[in-house]
Amino acid sequence: MNKFVLSVIGKDKPGILAKISTILFAHGCNIEDVSQTILQTEFASIFIVLNPEGHPLDTIGAALNEALGGMGLSAHLSPMTSAAAPVPAQSQPFVITTRGVDKPGTISAVTTAIASLACNVVNFRAIITQEDGVDEMIMIFEVDMPMGVDHRQLRQVMQQVCAGFGLDVSVQHREIFETIHRV
């Protein structure tokens, strides 16, 4: 398999994706999957790239870092080793949202509670807002809950851990969450 994972991080500015895709194209590569986000002023992206001609990753990485270094960005490449995607376990999608005063250790406690039930976090977003001069954090977790776990157990564990941090918490099946937020 001639695929690699490319991650790029640094200061956000116009033209980053154009520069990356042009360099990859020049090396005969094709971008198969990409996820990109901007957090405050920081750009972060991860690409799955097909390298059908087997160009050396050192050469591609050097070209990327030479072009991106002047933009305050850095690139890291690593070969992709798994040939096939793992078979997903039977699970149900849930959305967990929390809201409360930002305190150190909150994310660790909440994610540890989620992991204690073998739930897999597939998407996570945390946003800090100002409420009356106090930093308030809103966290949104999309999780896959194994079929053997009762949703009431997940709700109970989340309420216990969030109570210790003074957080309001909601646990909803993803279909219910999407229906409510569509209205």
Side-chain angles (χ1 to χ4, degrees), residues 76-94:
H76 176 76
L77 290 76
S78 61
M80 196 165 165
T81 55
S82 78
V87 176
Q90 292 277 331
S91 62
Q92 294 185 63
F94 275 79

PDB file of all heavy atoms in Angstrom, residues 76-94:
ATOM      1  N   HIS A  76       4.266  16.851   8.901  1.00  0.00           N
ATOM      2  CA  HIS A  76       4.816  15.574   9.346  1.00  0.00           C
ATOM      3  C   HIS A  76       4.165  14.477   8.516  1.00  0.00           C
ATOM      4  O   HIS A  76       2.937  14.449   8.382  1.00  0.00           O
ATOM      5  CB  HIS A  76       4.542  15.361  10.841  1.00  0.00           C
ATOM      6  CG  HIS A  76       4.995  14.033  11.317  1.00  0.00           C
ATOM      7  ND1 HIS A  76       6.313  13.739  11.550  1.00  0.00           N
ATOM      8  CD2 HIS A  76       4.321  12.903  11.577  1.00  0.00           C
ATOM      9  CE1 HIS A  76       6.426  12.493  11.937  1.00  0.00           C
ATOM     10  NE2 HIS A  76       5.222  11.955  11.971  1.00  0.00           N
ATOM     11  N   LEU A  77       4.979  13.578   7.979  1.00  0.00           N
ATOM     12  CA  LEU A  77       4.474  12.474   7.168  1.00  0.00           C
ATOM     13  C   LEU A  77       4.835  11.153   7.833  1.00  0.00           C
ATOM     14  O   LEU A  77       5.931  11.014   8.380  1.00  0.00           O
ATOM     15  CB  LEU A  77       5.107  12.493   5.766  1.00  0.00           C
ATOM     16  CG  LEU A  77       4.704  13.610   4.822  1.00  0.00           C
ATOM     17  CD1 LEU A  77       5.370  14.908   5.173  1.00  0.00           C
ATOM     18  CD2 LEU A  77       5.039  13.221   3.398  1.00  0.00           C
ATOM     19  N   SER A  78       3.931  10.195   7.760  1.00  0.00           N
ATOM     20  CA  SER A  78       4.249   8.838   8.229  1.00  0.00           C
ATOM     21  C   SER A  78       3.514   7.836   7.343  1.00  0.00           C
ATOM     22  O   SER A  78       2.387   8.088   6.896  1.00  0.00           O
ATOM     23  CB  SER A  78       3.872   8.658   9.701  1.00  0.00           C
ATOM     24  OG  SER A  78       2.498   8.843   9.883  1.00  0.00           O
ATOM     25  N   PRO A  79       4.164   6.704   7.065  1.00  0.00           N
ATOM     26  CA  PRO A  79       3.516   5.704   6.213  1.00  0.00           C
ATOM     27  C   PRO A  79       2.250   5.173   6.880  1.00  0.00           C
ATOM     28  O   PRO A  79       2.184   5.048   8.097  1.00  0.00           O
ATOM     29  CB  PRO A  79       4.562   4.593   6.087  1.00  0.00           C
ATOM     30  CG  PRO A  79       5.748   5.025   6.838  1.00  0.00           C
ATOM     31  CD  PRO A  79       5.463   6.297   7.538  1.00  0.00           C
ATOM     32  N   MET A  80       1.274   4.877   6.061  1.00  0.00           N
ATOM     33  CA  MET A  80       0.033   4.293   6.574  1.00  0.00           C
ATOM     34  C   MET A  80       0.223   2.783   6.534  1.00  0.00           C
ATOM     35  O   MET A  80       0.550   2.227   5.485  1.00  0.00           O
ATOM     36  CB  MET A  80      -1.143   4.733   5.715  1.00  0.00           C
ATOM     37  CG  MET A  80      -2.454   4.515   6.364  1.00  0.00           C
ATOM     38  SD  MET A  80      -3.692   5.460   5.445  1.00  0.00           S
ATOM     39  CE  MET A  80      -5.137   4.698   6.100  1.00  0.00           C
ATOM     40  N   THR A  81       0.021   2.135   7.649  1.00  0.00           N
ATOM     41  CA  THR A  81       0.365   0.724   7.742  1.00  0.00           C
ATOM     42  C   THR A  81      -0.816  -0.225   7.658  1.00  0.00           C
ATOM     43  O   THR A  81      -0.662  -1.355   7.234  1.00  0.00           O
ATOM     44  CB  THR A  81       1.116   0.437   9.047  1.00  0.00           C
ATOM     45  OG1 THR A  81       0.331   0.905  10.142  1.00  0.00           O
ATOM     46  CG2 THR A  81       2.469   1.122   9.038  1.00  0.00           C
ATOM     47  N   SER A  82      -2.002   0.177   8.078  1.00  0.00           N
ATOM     48  CA  SER A  82      -3.112  -0.776   8.079  1.00  0.00           C
ATOM     49  C   SER A  82      -3.702  -0.877   6.677  1.00  0.00           C
ATOM     50  O   SER A  82      -3.967   0.127   6.022  1.00  0.00           O
ATOM     51  CB  SER A  82      -4.187  -0.385   9.095  1.00  0.00           C
ATOM     52  OG  SER A  82      -4.978   0.645   8.603  1.00  0.00           O
ATOM     53  N   ALA A  83      -3.897  -2.110   6.216  1.00  0.00           N
ATOM     54  CA  ALA A  83      -4.411  -2.333   4.884  1.00  0.00           C
ATOM     55  C   ALA A  83      -5.921  -2.198   4.814  1.00  0.00           C
ATOM     56  O   ALA A  83      -6.474  -1.796   3.817  1.00  0.00           O
ATOM     57  CB  ALA A  83      -3.995  -3.711   4.399  1.00  0.00           C
ATOM     58  N   ALA A  84      -6.600  -2.589   5.864  1.00  0.00           N
ATOM     59  CA  ALA A  84      -8.060  -2.562   5.857  1.00  0.00           C
ATOM     60  C   ALA A  84      -8.566  -1.921   7.136  1.00  0.00           C
ATOM     61  O   ALA A  84      -7.936  -2.012   8.181  1.00  0.00           O
ATOM     62  CB  ALA A  84      -8.619  -3.969   5.729  1.00  0.00           C
ATOM     63  N   ALA A  85      -9.700  -1.283   7.006  1.00  0.00           N
ATOM     64  CA  ALA A  85     -10.306  -0.671   8.178  1.00  0.00           C
ATOM     65  C   ALA A  85     -10.793  -1.767   9.119  1.00  0.00           C
ATOM     66  O   ALA A  85     -11.303  -2.798   8.662  1.00  0.00           O
ATOM     67  CB  ALA A  85     -11.470   0.217   7.767  1.00  0.00           C
ATOM     68  N   PRO A  86     -10.639  -1.578  10.437  1.00  0.00           N
ATOM     69  CA  PRO A  86     -11.131  -2.587  11.365  1.00  0.00           C
ATOM     70  C   PRO A  86     -12.650  -2.681  11.298  1.00  0.00           C
ATOM     71  O   PRO A  86     -13.334  -1.704  10.988  1.00  0.00           O
ATOM     72  CB  PRO A  86     -10.662  -2.065  12.735  1.00  0.00           C
ATOM     73  CG  PRO A  86     -10.419  -0.612  12.535  1.00  0.00           C
ATOM     74  CD  PRO A  86     -10.066  -0.431  11.088  1.00  0.00           C
ATOM     75  N   VAL A  87     -13.146  -3.868  11.557  1.00  0.00           N
ATOM     76  CA  VAL A  87     -14.598  -4.067  11.558  1.00  0.00           C
ATOM     77  C   VAL A  87     -15.159  -3.383  12.802  1.00  0.00           C
ATOM     78  O   VAL A  87     -14.745  -3.686  13.922  1.00  0.00           O
ATOM     79  CB  VAL A  87     -14.945  -5.570  11.575  1.00  0.00           C
ATOM     80  CG1 VAL A  87     -16.442  -5.774  11.672  1.00  0.00           C
ATOM     81  CG2 VAL A  87     -14.363  -6.251  10.351  1.00  0.00           C
ATOM     82  N   PRO A  88     -16.073  -2.440  12.612  1.00  0.00           N
ATOM     83  CA  PRO A  88     -16.602  -1.739  13.776  1.00  0.00           C
ATOM     84  C   PRO A  88     -17.474  -2.651  14.638  1.00  0.00           C
ATOM     85  O   PRO A  88     -18.206  -3.491  14.127  1.00  0.00           O
ATOM     86  CB  PRO A  88     -17.440  -0.610  13.159  1.00  0.00           C
ATOM     87  CG  PRO A  88     -17.727  -1.063  11.775  1.00  0.00           C
ATOM     88  CD  PRO A  88     -16.642  -1.990  11.359  1.00  0.00           C
ATOM     89  N   ALA A  89     -17.352  -2.485  15.941  1.00  0.00           N
ATOM     90  CA  ALA A  89     -18.183  -3.237  16.868  1.00  0.00           C
ATOM     91  C   ALA A  89     -19.607  -2.675  16.825  1.00  0.00           C
ATOM     92  O   ALA A  89     -19.827  -1.534  16.433  1.00  0.00           O
ATOM     93  CB  ALA A  89     -17.608  -3.114  18.274  1.00  0.00           C
ATOM     94  N   GLN A  90     -20.571  -3.490  17.196  1.00  0.00           N
ATOM     95  CA  GLN A  90     -21.949  -3.029  17.272  1.00  0.00           C
ATOM     96  C   GLN A  90     -22.026  -1.910  18.296  1.00  0.00           C
ATOM     97  O   GLN A  90     -21.582  -2.076  19.435  1.00  0.00           O
ATOM     98  CB  GLN A  90     -22.850  -4.193  17.686  1.00  0.00           C
ATOM     99  CG  GLN A  90     -22.964  -5.274  16.645  1.00  0.00           C
ATOM    100  CD  GLN A  90     -24.004  -4.914  15.599  1.00  0.00           C
ATOM    101  OE1 GLN A  90     -24.944  -4.208  15.887  1.00  0.00           O
ATOM    102  NE2 GLN A  90     -23.810  -5.388  14.392  1.00  0.00           N
ATOM    103  N   SER A  91     -22.576  -0.790  17.893  1.00  0.00           N
ATOM    104  CA  SER A  91     -22.660   0.348  18.806  1.00  0.00           C
ATOM    105  C   SER A  91     -23.829   1.238  18.420  1.00  0.00           C
ATOM    106  O   SER A  91     -24.426   1.073  17.358  1.00  0.00           O
ATOM    107  CB  SER A  91     -21.356   1.152  18.767  1.00  0.00           C
ATOM    108  OG  SER A  91     -21.151   1.676  17.474  1.00  0.00           O
ATOM    109  N   GLN A  92     -24.127   2.162  19.319  1.00  0.00           N
ATOM    110  CA  GLN A  92     -25.160   3.166  19.077  1.00  0.00           C
ATOM    111  C   GLN A  92     -24.519   4.547  19.217  1.00  0.00           C
ATOM    112  O   GLN A  92     -23.714   4.766  20.109  1.00  0.00           O
ATOM    113  CB  GLN A  92     -26.281   3.055  20.106  1.00  0.00           C
ATOM    114  CG  GLN A  92     -27.069   1.782  20.023  1.00  0.00           C
ATOM    115  CD  GLN A  92     -28.222   1.842  21.006  1.00  0.00           C
ATOM    116  OE1 GLN A  92     -29.095   2.692  20.865  1.00  0.00           O
ATOM    117  NE2 GLN A  92     -28.195   0.968  21.983  1.00  0.00           N
ATOM    118  N   PRO A  93     -24.908   5.490  18.350  1.00  0.00           N
ATOM    119  CA  PRO A  93     -24.323   6.828  18.439  1.00  0.00           C
ATOM    120  C   PRO A  93     -25.049   7.710  19.468  1.00  0.00           C
ATOM    121  O   PRO A  93     -26.277   7.813  19.447  1.00  0.00           O
ATOM    122  CB  PRO A  93     -24.514   7.374  17.025  1.00  0.00           C
ATOM    123  CG  PRO A  93     -25.755   6.695  16.534  1.00  0.00           C
ATOM    124  CD  PRO A  93     -25.772   5.329  17.181  1.00  0.00           C
ATOM    125  N   PHE A  94     -24.289   8.326  20.349  1.00  0.00           N
ATOM    126  CA  PHE A  94     -24.842   9.256  21.332  1.00  0.00           C
ATOM    127  C   PHE A  94     -24.085  10.574  21.265  1.00  0.00           C
ATOM    128  O   PHE A  94     -22.944  10.625  20.798  1.00  0.00           O
ATOM    129  CB  PHE A  94     -24.735   8.675  22.751  1.00  0.00           C
ATOM    130  CG  PHE A  94     -25.886   7.772  23.099  1.00  0.00           C
ATOM    131  CD1 PHE A  94     -25.917   6.466  22.640  1.00  0.00           C
ATOM    132  CD2 PHE A  94     -26.952   8.229  23.850  1.00  0.00           C
ATOM    133  CE1 PHE A  94     -26.975   5.631  22.923  1.00  0.00           C
ATOM    134  CE2 PHE A  94     -28.021   7.410  24.136  1.00  0.00           C
ATOM    135  CZ  PHE A  94     -28.035   6.097  23.681  1.00  0.00           C
TER     136      PHE A  94
END
